[in-house]
Every structure is written in structure tokens, then in C-alpha cells.
Amino acid sequence: MRKIIQIIIIISFYINLVQGQFYLPDAPKKIYPVQDYAGVLSKIQIEKLNQKLVLYSKKTSTEILISIIQDLHGEDPNFLAAKWGERWKIGKFHKNNGIVILLSINDKKISIQNGYGLEPYLTDFLTKKIIKEINPMLKNHLYYQAIDFCTKKIFKTIDNKNYQKKKKKKVFYGWNFFICMSFLFFVSFLLYRKRIIDFPLLNTLFLTNFLFKNNNSNNHENDDNFDGFGGGGHFGGGGSSGTW
């Protein structure tokens, strides 16, 4: 009788062990930002979020993955979100600027985890604050609105932290451009005074350079190619979770 009880306990233990484990899906060949395994978002909503997050990744190189699952199967949401980001290599290599927003519908839990590179900007306190703000939306099953608001807050948080750096870089590049153009103009003026080049040629050189520079810049900005997420970021840079 005792052996039978022991066998039943062992079987029950392994059944609970299997049930309490969430198996991460394999990364698709092309990773898009939104992965809705619970089917709570419409196709239009997924497309809108994908467009926004892809565009943001092109501008900043920061990759944000939205993973929506039906059940955690007993897993810790913070551990699972970080593990997901690590396994799928969300973020750019050496920058570690990936973010995973994980929602479990049945458990009513959410976790925001980020890579090491974003730790100084997206702190545990700020992610906790964002989760608190979207809590009413999640309670009312407004998942798209909650995710949209959450990503906007993340954009704003990271952009505000990087504002001073960007401003300094713009001033630095502006002075470099001014000095180079001044030097080029001075040399060209001397060549013109010595009649080595004429004024029409001088004007053509400056105008052509300006037009080509603008044209190349526009072509780069309008580049719509998207190779998918997964550059090789590492996770463990912090984050938080909450329930609704």
C-alpha cells in the first residue's frame, strides 16, 4: 500500500512539473514586434503596433517585443520575459537595447524587462509606474490601448533620458559642418581670385554637393526594408511586473 502511495505521489509530482513549465516557442525566421499567441488583438491592431515599433527600431535601434500568451503555467513573468528576450536575441549586439513586454491573459499578469543597455534609462521604478498607469485598461480588456500607451511611455522615457546626449551631438556636428564649409569656401575663393576656377564652376560645385547630400538623406529615411528583430541583445537590465 505504501509503495502505491509513493508511486501516486511521484506521478503527481511529474504531472505538476510538466504543467508548471512554459515552453518558449522557437523564434520565427523573421521576428516581428507583436507576437499574439492568445488572439486578443485584431489584425489591424497588430499591423499598427508592428508599424510603430518597426519604425522606432529603425530610428533608435531599440527593439521592443510584445509577447501575449494565454497562461504562464506557473512560471514567473519576469523570468519568462527576460528568458524570451535572451532566447530570441531581442536588441542589437553590443548595445543590449531590447525590451520585452509580456502579458499573460489568464493569469492577468504583465512584465516589462529590458536589456543591460537600457538599465540607466528604463529603471525598475519607471516600468512599475507605467504598469500602474495601464492597469485600468487591462482590467477592462483594452489590451491594444494598454500596449499602445505602454510603448508610447517607453518611447518618451528613453527619448527624455537621451535628449541631452542628442543635443550635444547635434551641436558638435553642426560646428564641424560650419568649419568644413568655411574652409572649403575660403580655398575656393582663393582659387577664384587666382583665376584657377571660374564663378559658374564654383557655384555648381557647392550646389551639387548640397543637392546630393539632401537626396541621399531622404533616400535613407524612406528605406522601408525590415529584416526582423533579433540582433543579439542580452537581458537582465531590470524591469518589473504587476497584476490587473
Side-chain angles (χ1 to χ4, degrees):
M1 185 67 180
R2 184 180 293 178
K3 288 184 178 180
I4 295 173
I5 293 172
Q6 288 177 345
I7 291 170
I8 292 172
I9 292 172
I10 292 171
I11 292 172
S12 299
F13 173 77
Y14 280 107
I15 289 173
N16 290 329
L17 184 65
V18 171
Q19 288 179 343
Q21 187 175 4
F22 181 90
Y23 291 97
L24 277 174
D26 293 330
K29 290 182 179 179
K30 192 172 185 178
I31 303 174
Y32 281 92
V34 181
Q35 303 292 323
D36 182 14
Y37 296 95
V40 296
L41 300 177
S42 67
K43 288 184 178 181
I44 295 174
Q45 290 172 341
I46 291 173
E47 286 176 5
K48 285 182 179 180
L49 288 172
N50 276 333
Q51 287 175 1
K52 183 175 75 167
L53 296 175
V54 167
L55 182 62
Y56 185 73
S57 70
K58 287 181 179 180
K59 288 182 178 179
T60 65
S61 80
T62 299
E63 297 180 353
I64 302 177
L65 180 74
I66 312 294
S67 298
I68 308 173
I69 60 175
Q70 201 71 50
D71 202 297
L72 286 165
H73 295 286
E75 292 277 9
D76 179 80
N78 290 332
F79 173 76
L80 183 59
K83 185 180 177 183
W84 203 315
E86 190 82 22
R87 185 79 61 83
W88 283 24
K89 300 180 179 179
I90 303 301
K92 296 301 181 186
F93 190 63
H94 291 317
K95 288 190 175 183
N96 300 316
N97 56 348
I99 300 171
V100 174
I101 302 173
L102 175 70
L103 286 87
S104 179
I105 304 303
N106 289 345
D107 301 288
K108 296 183 178 180
K109 290 183 179 181
I110 179 173
S111 175
I112 302 174
Q113 298 294 311
N114 48 274
Y116 291 107
L118 294 173
E119 189 174 5
Y121 314 111
L122 197 62
T123 63
D124 298 355
F125 173 78
L126 290 173
T127 53
K128 196 75 176 178
K129 186 179 178 182
I130 293 172
I131 290 173
K132 189 177 180 180
E133 287 183 88
I134 65 173
N135 194 276
M137 301 178 201
L138 293 171
K139 283 184 177 179
N140 291 310
H141 310 291
L142 301 173
Y143 302 113
Y144 169 76
Q145 290 83 347
I147 295 168
D148 186 53
F149 183 86
C150 181
T151 53
K152 285 178 181 177
K153 279 288 184 177
I154 290 173
F155 294 168
K156 189 176 180 180
T157 301
I158 296 174
D159 291 344
N160 284 344
K161 293 288 183 178
N162 284 315
Y163 176 73
Q164 292 300 329
K165 286 184 179 180
K166 289 179 181 178
K167 192 174 181 181
K168 287 179 181 178
K169 284 182 180 180
K170 284 181 180 180
V171 171
F172 178 74
Y173 289 131
W175 274 108
N176 276 353
F177 178 75
F178 176 76
I179 292 170
C180 289
M181 289 301 295
S182 299
F183 177 76
L184 184 61
F185 180 79
F186 178 72
V187 172
S188 300
F189 180 74
L190 290 178
L191 293 175
Y192 169 71
R193 288 291 300 270
K194 293 183 178 181
R195 301 188 182 280
I196 297 175
I197 60 173
D198 56 5
F199 184 77
L201 178 59
L202 179 64
N203 189 38
T204 302
L205 286 173
F206 275 101
L207 185 60
T208 303
N209 181 58
F210 179 75
L211 289 175
F212 269 104
K213 183 179 179 182
N214 285 342
N215 191 34
N216 290 335
S217 177
N218 289 334
N219 286 338
H220 180 71
E221 290 177 359
N222 293 329
D223 185 12
D224 294 327
N225 293 328
F226 176 63
D227 296 327
F229 284 176
H234 294 287
F235 277 70
S240 59
S241 61
T243 58
W244 69 84

